[in-house]
Amino acid sequence: SSQIASFSHQPHQPPSTPASKEVWKKGGRMFSILLAVHLALLACTLVSSGAFEKIAVHDYDVFFLLTVMMLIVIIWIIFYLVGTSRCPDAILCKDSHAGPIWLRGGLILFAIFSLVMDVFKIGYYSSFYSCLSAIKIIYPIVQAIFVMVQTYFLWISAKDCVHVHLNVTRCGLMLTLTTNLAVWMSAVTDESVHKAHSKLKKNVTEDIFRWLLKAGMRSSSAEECNCNSQICQIFKNGYFWLYPFNIEYSLFASAMVYVMWKNVGRFIDHHSHHIHRLKFRLFRRTFFVGIVLGLIILVSGLGVLILYEVQVNSSTESSKKSQALTMYYIFNIVCLGLMSLVCIGGSVIYRFDKRDMDRHKNPTRTLDVALLMGAALGQYAISYYSIVAIVASTPRDAISALNLTYALLMIAQHTFQNIFIIEGLHRQPPKEDHKHDSHQKDLYGLTFVNINAVSLRVPDTGSTLAPSTASGTEAIHPSDLVRSLTAPKKMNWRRKFLREISMFLLLSNIILWIMPAFGARPQFDNDTELNFYGDSMWPAIVDICLPFGIFYRMHAVASLLEVYI
């Protein structure tokens, strides 16, 4: 009897009630956070010190630290894939919101370009390996292996909720997160130094440039070697052009790793989780207005980008530079103004939306909101610095007025778009499509039948169908038939407009990401801010804040895909 009694209580064990057993290991979490903080501070110290000549820290010291960190992460990922994930009861559940297909697809896209960048780096440094440290060639090789291993790991494990080796997994994930952030800091610093050198070379002769490098500006160790061959120049220019993709890859990977860290030891109530599957329905039940306007903005932006690059970077005439800046500001003012109006319209449509708010615990959504708000701070900072410089400077010309309007609209657009996206993230998924499913299945064979000719009478008695049948199902009346056949044609107008708005915002955010990522940065070409803040302070502000603005655009695209598409 005791065995029977104990057996009867088995269904009430903790695994059947995961909500009561969701125990977070505070000690393991705190230790992993402390590990990440110390490593991040060490990497930040080395990377920032390596950007200045007078500090005795060289770029190969930074590369050595990053190489060691990436090797440790590779070893841990292999241990996780071979050991931890294959343990019994290691992964009891998966987070359906973590690692959506478009986020993993974007990660793979950036990973491919990062691998191409590493190939260019290897080719560039191999051109004069005799005068370089070996770590300069080892680093891109290890980085390429790191990118491949990490991308595979995140593709198959982004949704895991691990329940074994908790402390080791938390520390491993935090080490992976810190490594990605350190690689990101190194890439941003290297790109900024390269741009500073390129701008300096345009204004001074070669002899003066080399003297300035010796006097106080950090030069890469490769600058001291001769890169005279054409293939060497192709490798050098190629990998610097691909830096934005590597920067975005590191940020995407960091976001996905953080969600995995939050899910370690977590139990999920599947009744409160809505599983979203990617459905290619971009062109179904739409008016094509958002797609057409978005494509017009995208194509126009590409044209503006090409003309801007040609007139600013390839010409020394001030008149052409002013024309390029005017064209750039006018395009962005029109684009940001339309995006702001569209976001306001979407927020107004939400006032008529009958869907409930989703208040369930969701680490992925919490991270999405935090990244949207945090990444927007970078562009906020640049805009406010520009506003102060323009208002306080004299005299004011047409370009200054356009720059001021551009800065104000940038602040407004980020604010309205964040409100629109965050409200969409907290809405329950639509249920209109499932309202008439049972009737549609019963009446599937009557879809192409003339409604007026349908007879719902029993042949022998001539009476209409009874309210209920023997099986307990509800009878089908003519009015129900009409509603069931016509309901799919009447898609909710709110959803149609929200989809049009999301498509326009998606394409607009893509072009606003492409333009600064590929060199269209008027902050370095407009003299107002440079004269007001100085040649050292203003470039530093832009170099720190602009990567966050670029990342914001890509994350906004991912959030729009997740919510509306």
Side-chain angles (χ1 to χ4, degrees), residues 177-210:
L177 174 63
T178 308
T179 303
N180 280 286
L181 292 178
V183 171
W184 169 75
M185 287 187 289
S186 176
V188 170
T189 303
D190 200 7
E191 185 189 25
S192 301
V193 171
H194 172 72
K195 287 185 177 297
H197 288 177
S198 300
K199 188 172 183 180
L200 191 62
K201 274 185 176 181
K202 290 168 58 178
N203 299 326
V204 299
T205 62
E206 186 69 19
D207 294 335
I208 298 177
F209 173 71
R210 290 190 176 275

PDB file of all heavy atoms in Angstrom, residues 177-210:
ATOM      1  N   LEU A 177      29.996  36.150 -24.368  1.00  0.00           N
ATOM      2  CA  LEU A 177      29.467  37.504 -24.502  1.00  0.00           C
ATOM      3  C   LEU A 177      30.578  38.548 -24.407  1.00  0.00           C
ATOM      4  O   LEU A 177      30.656  39.475 -25.227  1.00  0.00           O
ATOM      5  CB  LEU A 177      28.409  37.741 -23.416  1.00  0.00           C
ATOM      6  CG  LEU A 177      27.830  39.147 -23.295  1.00  0.00           C
ATOM      7  CD1 LEU A 177      27.082  39.537 -24.549  1.00  0.00           C
ATOM      8  CD2 LEU A 177      26.909  39.242 -22.078  1.00  0.00           C
ATOM      9  N   THR A 178      31.461  38.386 -23.427  1.00  0.00           N
ATOM     10  CA  THR A 178      32.550  39.343 -23.247  1.00  0.00           C
ATOM     11  C   THR A 178      33.517  39.325 -24.433  1.00  0.00           C
ATOM     12  O   THR A 178      34.006  40.367 -24.875  1.00  0.00           O
ATOM     13  CB  THR A 178      33.313  39.031 -21.950  1.00  0.00           C
ATOM     14  OG1 THR A 178      32.385  38.947 -20.864  1.00  0.00           O
ATOM     15  CG2 THR A 178      34.328  40.105 -21.646  1.00  0.00           C
ATOM     16  N   THR A 179      33.775  38.133 -24.967  1.00  0.00           N
ATOM     17  CA  THR A 179      34.664  38.028 -26.122  1.00  0.00           C
ATOM     18  C   THR A 179      34.090  38.752 -27.331  1.00  0.00           C
ATOM     19  O   THR A 179      34.808  39.467 -28.051  1.00  0.00           O
ATOM     20  CB  THR A 179      34.909  36.547 -26.454  1.00  0.00           C
ATOM     21  OG1 THR A 179      35.456  35.884 -25.303  1.00  0.00           O
ATOM     22  CG2 THR A 179      35.868  36.407 -27.627  1.00  0.00           C
ATOM     23  N   ASN A 180      32.803  38.589 -27.564  1.00  0.00           N
ATOM     24  CA  ASN A 180      32.169  39.302 -28.682  1.00  0.00           C
ATOM     25  C   ASN A 180      32.230  40.805 -28.492  1.00  0.00           C
ATOM     26  O   ASN A 180      32.487  41.552 -29.452  1.00  0.00           O
ATOM     27  CB  ASN A 180      30.721  38.844 -28.830  1.00  0.00           C
ATOM     28  CG  ASN A 180      30.592  37.526 -29.548  1.00  0.00           C
ATOM     29  OD1 ASN A 180      30.762  37.432 -30.758  1.00  0.00           O
ATOM     30  ND2 ASN A 180      30.306  36.471 -28.804  1.00  0.00           N
ATOM     31  N   LEU A 181      32.009  41.276 -27.280  1.00  0.00           N
ATOM     32  CA  LEU A 181      32.089  42.717 -27.029  1.00  0.00           C
ATOM     33  C   LEU A 181      33.519  43.227 -27.183  1.00  0.00           C
ATOM     34  O   LEU A 181      33.735  44.344 -27.678  1.00  0.00           O
ATOM     35  CB  LEU A 181      31.561  43.025 -25.624  1.00  0.00           C
ATOM     36  CG  LEU A 181      30.060  42.795 -25.407  1.00  0.00           C
ATOM     37  CD1 LEU A 181      29.683  43.102 -23.962  1.00  0.00           C
ATOM     38  CD2 LEU A 181      29.231  43.654 -26.360  1.00  0.00           C
ATOM     39  N   ALA A 182      34.512  42.421 -26.769  1.00  0.00           N
ATOM     40  CA  ALA A 182      35.901  42.833 -26.919  1.00  0.00           C
ATOM     41  C   ALA A 182      36.289  42.903 -28.399  1.00  0.00           C
ATOM     42  O   ALA A 182      36.989  43.838 -28.827  1.00  0.00           O
ATOM     43  CB  ALA A 182      36.817  41.863 -26.171  1.00  0.00           C
ATOM     44  N   VAL A 183      35.852  41.927 -29.192  1.00  0.00           N
ATOM     45  CA  VAL A 183      36.106  41.962 -30.637  1.00  0.00           C
ATOM     46  C   VAL A 183      35.425  43.171 -31.257  1.00  0.00           C
ATOM     47  O   VAL A 183      35.976  43.833 -32.152  1.00  0.00           O
ATOM     48  CB  VAL A 183      35.633  40.653 -31.289  1.00  0.00           C
ATOM     49  CG1 VAL A 183      35.693  40.749 -32.812  1.00  0.00           C
ATOM     50  CG2 VAL A 183      36.482  39.479 -30.805  1.00  0.00           C
ATOM     51  N   TRP A 184      34.217  43.477 -30.786  1.00  0.00           N
ATOM     52  CA  TRP A 184      33.504  44.659 -31.290  1.00  0.00           C
ATOM     53  C   TRP A 184      34.268  45.946 -30.965  1.00  0.00           C
ATOM     54  O   TRP A 184      34.438  46.817 -31.834  1.00  0.00           O
ATOM     55  CB  TRP A 184      32.113  44.707 -30.673  1.00  0.00           C
ATOM     56  CG  TRP A 184      31.376  45.982 -30.903  1.00  0.00           C
ATOM     57  CD1 TRP A 184      30.783  46.392 -32.056  1.00  0.00           C
ATOM     58  CD2 TRP A 184      31.170  47.044 -29.951  1.00  0.00           C
ATOM     59  NE1 TRP A 184      30.212  47.631 -31.889  1.00  0.00           N
ATOM     60  CE2 TRP A 184      30.436  48.050 -30.606  1.00  0.00           C
ATOM     61  CE3 TRP A 184      31.516  47.221 -28.615  1.00  0.00           C
ATOM     62  CZ2 TRP A 184      30.064  49.226 -29.965  1.00  0.00           C
ATOM     63  CZ3 TRP A 184      31.146  48.388 -27.973  1.00  0.00           C
ATOM     64  CH2 TRP A 184      30.433  49.378 -28.650  1.00  0.00           C
ATOM     65  N   MET A 185      34.750  46.082 -29.723  1.00  0.00           N
ATOM     66  CA  MET A 185      35.511  47.278 -29.353  1.00  0.00           C
ATOM     67  C   MET A 185      36.783  47.400 -30.183  1.00  0.00           C
ATOM     68  O   MET A 185      37.154  48.501 -30.627  1.00  0.00           O
ATOM     69  CB  MET A 185      35.855  47.236 -27.859  1.00  0.00           C
ATOM     70  CG  MET A 185      34.681  47.505 -26.937  1.00  0.00           C
ATOM     71  SD  MET A 185      35.192  47.651 -25.205  1.00  0.00           S
ATOM     72  CE  MET A 185      35.622  45.950 -24.840  1.00  0.00           C
ATOM     73  N   SER A 186      37.458  46.290 -30.406  1.00  0.00           N
ATOM     74  CA  SER A 186      38.680  46.314 -31.203  1.00  0.00           C
ATOM     75  C   SER A 186      38.391  46.724 -32.649  1.00  0.00           C
ATOM     76  O   SER A 186      39.138  47.516 -33.249  1.00  0.00           O
ATOM     77  CB  SER A 186      39.344  44.939 -31.173  1.00  0.00           C
ATOM     78  OG  SER A 186      40.471  44.897 -32.012  1.00  0.00           O
ATOM     79  N   ALA A 187      37.303  46.205 -33.227  1.00  0.00           N
ATOM     80  CA  ALA A 187      36.958  46.554 -34.607  1.00  0.00           C
ATOM     81  C   ALA A 187      36.592  48.023 -34.739  1.00  0.00           C
ATOM     82  O   ALA A 187      37.004  48.700 -35.701  1.00  0.00           O
ATOM     83  CB  ALA A 187      35.802  45.668 -35.088  1.00  0.00           C
ATOM     84  N   VAL A 188      35.812  48.546 -33.774  1.00  0.00           N
ATOM     85  CA  VAL A 188      35.432  49.963 -33.818  1.00  0.00           C
ATOM     86  C   VAL A 188      36.669  50.859 -33.705  1.00  0.00           C
ATOM     87  O   VAL A 188      36.818  51.849 -34.438  1.00  0.00           O
ATOM     88  CB  VAL A 188      34.419  50.274 -32.694  1.00  0.00           C
ATOM     89  CG1 VAL A 188      34.193  51.770 -32.573  1.00  0.00           C
ATOM     90  CG2 VAL A 188      33.095  49.576 -32.956  1.00  0.00           C
ATOM     91  N   THR A 189      37.576  50.505 -32.797  1.00  0.00           N
ATOM     92  CA  THR A 189      38.788  51.306 -32.624  1.00  0.00           C
ATOM     93  C   THR A 189      39.673  51.254 -33.865  1.00  0.00           C
ATOM     94  O   THR A 189      40.187  52.286 -34.334  1.00  0.00           O
ATOM     95  CB  THR A 189      39.583  50.798 -31.413  1.00  0.00           C
ATOM     96  OG1 THR A 189      38.746  50.837 -30.247  1.00  0.00           O
ATOM     97  CG2 THR A 189      40.807  51.663 -31.168  1.00  0.00           C
ATOM     98  N   ASP A 190      39.841  50.054 -34.421  1.00  0.00           N
ATOM     99  CA  ASP A 190      40.674  49.912 -35.620  1.00  0.00           C
ATOM    100  C   ASP A 190      40.092  50.689 -36.792  1.00  0.00           C
ATOM    101  O   ASP A 190      40.820  51.358 -37.548  1.00  0.00           O
ATOM    102  CB  ASP A 190      40.796  48.427 -35.965  1.00  0.00           C
ATOM    103  CG  ASP A 190      41.994  48.150 -36.856  1.00  0.00           C
ATOM    104  OD1 ASP A 190      42.785  49.078 -37.093  1.00  0.00           O
ATOM    105  OD2 ASP A 190      42.145  47.003 -37.313  1.00  0.00           O
ATOM    106  N   GLU A 191      38.770  50.630 -36.948  1.00  0.00           N
ATOM    107  CA  GLU A 191      38.128  51.370 -38.039  1.00  0.00           C
ATOM    108  C   GLU A 191      38.271  52.869 -37.843  1.00  0.00           C
ATOM    109  O   GLU A 191      38.514  53.620 -38.798  1.00  0.00           O
ATOM    110  CB  GLU A 191      36.656  50.982 -38.137  1.00  0.00           C
ATOM    111  CG  GLU A 191      35.940  51.601 -39.322  1.00  0.00           C
ATOM    112  CD  GLU A 191      34.436  51.371 -39.286  1.00  0.00           C
ATOM    113  OE1 GLU A 191      33.899  51.165 -38.185  1.00  0.00           O
ATOM    114  OE2 GLU A 191      33.819  51.418 -40.351  1.00  0.00           O
ATOM    115  N   SER A 192      38.145  53.341 -36.597  1.00  0.00           N
ATOM    116  CA  SER A 192      38.256  54.776 -36.334  1.00  0.00           C
ATOM    117  C   SER A 192      39.665  55.283 -36.608  1.00  0.00           C
ATOM    118  O   SER A 192      39.851  56.358 -37.199  1.00  0.00           O
ATOM    119  CB  SER A 192      37.868  55.060 -34.878  1.00  0.00           C
ATOM    120  OG  SER A 192      36.547  54.625 -34.617  1.00  0.00           O
ATOM    121  N   VAL A 193      40.669  54.512 -36.178  1.00  0.00           N
ATOM    122  CA  VAL A 193      42.055  54.910 -36.436  1.00  0.00           C
ATOM    123  C   VAL A 193      42.326  54.934 -37.936  1.00  0.00           C
ATOM    124  O   VAL A 193      42.996  55.837 -38.456  1.00  0.00           O
ATOM    125  CB  VAL A 193      43.015  53.953 -35.709  1.00  0.00           C
ATOM    126  CG1 VAL A 193      44.460  54.219 -36.131  1.00  0.00           C
ATOM    127  CG2 VAL A 193      42.877  54.111 -34.199  1.00  0.00           C
ATOM    128  N   HIS A 194      41.794  53.949 -38.650  1.00  0.00           N
ATOM    129  CA  HIS A 194      41.991  53.908 -40.105  1.00  0.00           C
ATOM    130  C   HIS A 194      41.356  55.124 -40.781  1.00  0.00           C
ATOM    131  O   HIS A 194      41.963  55.719 -41.690  1.00  0.00           O
ATOM    132  CB  HIS A 194      41.390  52.622 -40.664  1.00  0.00           C
ATOM    133  CG  HIS A 194      41.367  52.578 -42.162  1.00  0.00           C
ATOM    134  ND1 HIS A 194      42.509  52.414 -42.917  1.00  0.00           N
ATOM    135  CD2 HIS A 194      40.340  52.691 -43.042  1.00  0.00           C
ATOM    136  CE1 HIS A 194      42.185  52.426 -44.203  1.00  0.00           C
ATOM    137  NE2 HIS A 194      40.883  52.580 -44.313  1.00  0.00           N
ATOM    138  N   LYS A 195      40.152  55.509 -40.361  1.00  0.00           N
ATOM    139  CA  LYS A 195      39.493  56.672 -40.951  1.00  0.00           C
ATOM    140  C   LYS A 195      40.256  57.956 -40.628  1.00  0.00           C
ATOM    141  O   LYS A 195      40.352  58.864 -41.466  1.00  0.00           O
ATOM    142  CB  LYS A 195      38.044  56.764 -40.468  1.00  0.00           C
ATOM    143  CG  LYS A 195      37.135  55.715 -41.088  1.00  0.00           C
ATOM    144  CD  LYS A 195      35.692  55.934 -40.676  1.00  0.00           C
ATOM    145  CE  LYS A 195      34.787  54.924 -41.371  1.00  0.00           C
ATOM    146  NZ  LYS A 195      34.798  55.083 -42.846  1.00  0.00           N
ATOM    147  N   ALA A 196      40.788  58.039 -39.399  1.00  0.00           N
ATOM    148  CA  ALA A 196      41.574  59.220 -39.047  1.00  0.00           C
ATOM    149  C   ALA A 196      42.826  59.312 -39.909  1.00  0.00           C
ATOM    150  O   ALA A 196      43.199  60.390 -40.381  1.00  0.00           O
ATOM    151  CB  ALA A 196      41.946  59.166 -37.568  1.00  0.00           C
ATOM    152  N   HIS A 197      43.484  58.178 -40.144  1.00  0.00           N
ATOM    153  CA  HIS A 197      44.667  58.181 -41.000  1.00  0.00           C
ATOM    154  C   HIS A 197      44.305  58.557 -42.436  1.00  0.00           C
ATOM    155  O   HIS A 197      45.039  59.304 -43.099  1.00  0.00           O
ATOM    156  CB  HIS A 197      45.323  56.803 -40.976  1.00  0.00           C
ATOM    157  CG  HIS A 197      46.003  56.501 -39.679  1.00  0.00           C
ATOM    158  ND1 HIS A 197      46.618  55.295 -39.413  1.00  0.00           N
ATOM    159  CD2 HIS A 197      46.153  57.239 -38.543  1.00  0.00           C
ATOM    160  CE1 HIS A 197      47.120  55.313 -38.206  1.00  0.00           C
ATOM    161  NE2 HIS A 197      46.840  56.475 -37.644  1.00  0.00           N
ATOM    162  N   SER A 198      43.189  58.020 -42.933  1.00  0.00           N
ATOM    163  CA  SER A 198      42.786  58.306 -44.307  1.00  0.00           C
ATOM    164  C   SER A 198      42.491  59.790 -44.495  1.00  0.00           C
ATOM    165  O   SER A 198      42.866  60.390 -45.512  1.00  0.00           O
ATOM    166  CB  SER A 198      41.559  57.469 -44.678  1.00  0.00           C
ATOM    167  OG  SER A 198      41.845  56.096 -44.577  1.00  0.00           O
ATOM    168  N   LYS A 199      41.805  60.389 -43.513  1.00  0.00           N
ATOM    169  CA  LYS A 199      41.494  61.815 -43.627  1.00  0.00           C
ATOM    170  C   LYS A 199      42.753  62.664 -43.516  1.00  0.00           C
ATOM    171  O   LYS A 199      42.909  63.684 -44.196  1.00  0.00           O
ATOM    172  CB  LYS A 199      40.495  62.207 -42.542  1.00  0.00           C
ATOM    173  CG  LYS A 199      39.965  63.620 -42.706  1.00  0.00           C
ATOM    174  CD  LYS A 199      38.843  63.905 -41.730  1.00  0.00           C
ATOM    175  CE  LYS A 199      38.284  65.304 -41.954  1.00  0.00           C
ATOM    176  NZ  LYS A 199      37.179  65.606 -41.019  1.00  0.00           N
ATOM    177  N   LEU A 200      43.702  62.221 -42.674  1.00  0.00           N
ATOM    178  CA  LEU A 200      44.945  62.969 -42.519  1.00  0.00           C
ATOM    179  C   LEU A 200      45.794  62.890 -43.777  1.00  0.00           C
ATOM    180  O   LEU A 200      46.445  63.852 -44.175  1.00  0.00           O
ATOM    181  CB  LEU A 200      45.713  62.431 -41.307  1.00  0.00           C
ATOM    182  CG  LEU A 200      46.914  63.252 -40.819  1.00  0.00           C
ATOM    183  CD1 LEU A 200      46.460  64.631 -40.377  1.00  0.00           C
ATOM    184  CD2 LEU A 200      47.624  62.521 -39.688  1.00  0.00           C
ATOM    185  N   LYS A 201      45.775  61.725 -44.427  1.00  0.00           N
ATOM    186  CA  LYS A 201      46.560  61.554 -45.655  1.00  0.00           C
ATOM    187  C   LYS A 201      46.056  62.451 -46.779  1.00  0.00           C
ATOM    188  O   LYS A 201      46.826  62.887 -47.641  1.00  0.00           O
ATOM    189  CB  LYS A 201      46.495  60.098 -46.110  1.00  0.00           C
ATOM    190  CG  LYS A 201      47.532  59.204 -45.466  1.00  0.00           C
ATOM    191  CD  LYS A 201      47.470  57.811 -46.076  1.00  0.00           C
ATOM    192  CE  LYS A 201      48.564  56.931 -45.510  1.00  0.00           C
ATOM    193  NZ  LYS A 201      48.556  55.574 -46.105  1.00  0.00           N
ATOM    194  N   LYS A 202      44.749  62.738 -46.791  1.00  0.00           N
ATOM    195  CA  LYS A 202      44.187  63.578 -47.843  1.00  0.00           C
ATOM    196  C   LYS A 202      44.623  65.032 -47.693  1.00  0.00           C
ATOM    197  O   LYS A 202      44.633  65.796 -48.660  1.00  0.00           O
ATOM    198  CB  LYS A 202      42.655  63.505 -47.827  1.00  0.00           C
ATOM    199  CG  LYS A 202      42.104  62.172 -48.281  1.00  0.00           C
ATOM    200  CD  LYS A 202      40.633  62.039 -47.965  1.00  0.00           C
ATOM    201  CE  LYS A 202      39.814  63.117 -48.586  1.00  0.00           C
ATOM    202  NZ  LYS A 202      38.377  62.957 -48.322  1.00  0.00           N
ATOM    203  N   ASN A 203      45.007  65.445 -46.475  1.00  0.00           N
ATOM    204  CA  ASN A 203      45.288  66.858 -46.218  1.00  0.00           C
ATOM    205  C   ASN A 203      46.783  67.184 -46.113  1.00  0.00           C
ATOM    206  O   ASN A 203      47.149  68.365 -46.105  1.00  0.00           O
ATOM    207  CB  ASN A 203      44.595  67.300 -44.925  1.00  0.00           C
ATOM    208  CG  ASN A 203      43.088  67.145 -45.010  1.00  0.00           C
ATOM    209  OD1 ASN A 203      42.495  67.325 -46.070  1.00  0.00           O
ATOM    210  ND2 ASN A 203      42.459  66.818 -43.892  1.00  0.00           N
ATOM    211  N   VAL A 204      47.621  66.146 -45.969  1.00  0.00           N
ATOM    212  CA  VAL A 204      49.053  66.408 -45.808  1.00  0.00           C
ATOM    213  C   VAL A 204      49.822  65.518 -46.771  1.00  0.00           C
ATOM    214  O   VAL A 204      49.287  64.577 -47.352  1.00  0.00           O
ATOM    215  CB  VAL A 204      49.518  66.151 -44.354  1.00  0.00           C
ATOM    216  CG1 VAL A 204      48.798  67.057 -43.390  1.00  0.00           C
ATOM    217  CG2 VAL A 204      49.315  64.683 -43.963  1.00  0.00           C
ATOM    218  N   THR A 205      51.100  65.812 -46.906  1.00  0.00           N
ATOM    219  CA  THR A 205      51.950  65.000 -47.756  1.00  0.00           C
ATOM    220  C   THR A 205      52.361  63.727 -47.026  1.00  0.00           C
ATOM    221  O   THR A 205      52.160  63.585 -45.818  1.00  0.00           O
ATOM    222  CB  THR A 205      53.197  65.795 -48.150  1.00  0.00           C
ATOM    223  OG1 THR A 205      53.935  66.119 -46.961  1.00  0.00           O
ATOM    224  CG2 THR A 205      52.823  67.075 -48.887  1.00  0.00           C
ATOM    225  N   GLU A 206      52.975  62.810 -47.752  1.00  0.00           N
ATOM    226  CA  GLU A 206      53.367  61.527 -47.172  1.00  0.00           C
ATOM    227  C   GLU A 206      54.416  61.703 -46.081  1.00  0.00           C
ATOM    228  O   GLU A 206      54.366  61.040 -45.043  1.00  0.00           O
ATOM    229  CB  GLU A 206      53.888  60.608 -48.286  1.00  0.00           C
ATOM    230  CG  GLU A 206      54.198  59.193 -47.838  1.00  0.00           C
ATOM    231  CD  GLU A 206      52.940  58.409 -47.477  1.00  0.00           C
ATOM    232  OE1 GLU A 206      51.836  58.815 -47.913  1.00  0.00           O
ATOM    233  OE2 GLU A 206      53.054  57.407 -46.744  1.00  0.00           O
ATOM    234  N   ASP A 207      55.382  62.602 -46.280  1.00  0.00           N
ATOM    235  CA  ASP A 207      56.433  62.793 -45.274  1.00  0.00           C
ATOM    236  C   ASP A 207      55.872  63.371 -43.988  1.00  0.00           C
ATOM    237  O   ASP A 207      56.230  62.936 -42.883  1.00  0.00           O
ATOM    238  CB  ASP A 207      57.521  63.722 -45.837  1.00  0.00           C
ATOM    239  CG  ASP A 207      58.259  63.098 -47.012  1.00  0.00           C
ATOM    240  OD1 ASP A 207      58.283  61.851 -47.085  1.00  0.00           O
ATOM    241  OD2 ASP A 207      58.795  63.854 -47.842  1.00  0.00           O
ATOM    242  N   ILE A 208      54.978  64.372 -44.123  1.00  0.00           N
ATOM    243  CA  ILE A 208      54.372  64.956 -42.921  1.00  0.00           C
ATOM    244  C   ILE A 208      53.498  63.929 -42.214  1.00  0.00           C
ATOM    245  O   ILE A 208      53.447  63.870 -40.981  1.00  0.00           O
ATOM    246  CB  ILE A 208      53.556  66.216 -43.291  1.00  0.00           C
ATOM    247  CG1 ILE A 208      54.482  67.272 -43.889  1.00  0.00           C
ATOM    248  CG2 ILE A 208      52.821  66.758 -42.080  1.00  0.00           C
ATOM    249  CD1 ILE A 208      53.753  68.517 -44.359  1.00  0.00           C
ATOM    250  N   PHE A 209      52.815  63.088 -42.987  1.00  0.00           N
ATOM    251  CA  PHE A 209      51.958  62.064 -42.396  1.00  0.00           C
ATOM    252  C   PHE A 209      52.784  61.095 -41.549  1.00  0.00           C
ATOM    253  O   PHE A 209      52.411  60.754 -40.420  1.00  0.00           O
ATOM    254  CB  PHE A 209      51.214  61.313 -43.498  1.00  0.00           C
ATOM    255  CG  PHE A 209      50.428  60.137 -43.007  1.00  0.00           C
ATOM    256  CD1 PHE A 209      49.277  60.317 -42.259  1.00  0.00           C
ATOM    257  CD2 PHE A 209      50.844  58.841 -43.289  1.00  0.00           C
ATOM    258  CE1 PHE A 209      48.548  59.234 -41.798  1.00  0.00           C
ATOM    259  CE2 PHE A 209      50.127  57.754 -42.835  1.00  0.00           C
ATOM    260  CZ  PHE A 209      48.975  57.958 -42.095  1.00  0.00           C
ATOM    261  N   ARG A 210      53.926  60.640 -42.061  1.00  0.00           N
ATOM    262  CA  ARG A 210      54.763  59.724 -41.292  1.00  0.00           C
ATOM    263  C   ARG A 210      55.342  60.419 -40.049  1.00  0.00           C
ATOM    264  O   ARG A 210      55.498  59.796 -38.998  1.00  0.00           O
ATOM    265  CB  ARG A 210      55.894  59.175 -42.176  1.00  0.00           C
ATOM    266  CG  ARG A 210      55.391  58.220 -43.247  1.00  0.00           C
ATOM    267  CD  ARG A 210      56.550  57.502 -43.945  1.00  0.00           C
ATOM    268  NE  ARG A 210      56.046  56.525 -44.895  1.00  0.00           N
ATOM    269  CZ  ARG A 210      55.696  55.285 -44.571  1.00  0.00           C
ATOM    270  NH1 ARG A 210      55.794  54.883 -43.314  1.00  0.00           N
ATOM    271  NH2 ARG A 210      55.245  54.454 -45.491  1.00  0.00           N
TER     272      ARG A 210
END
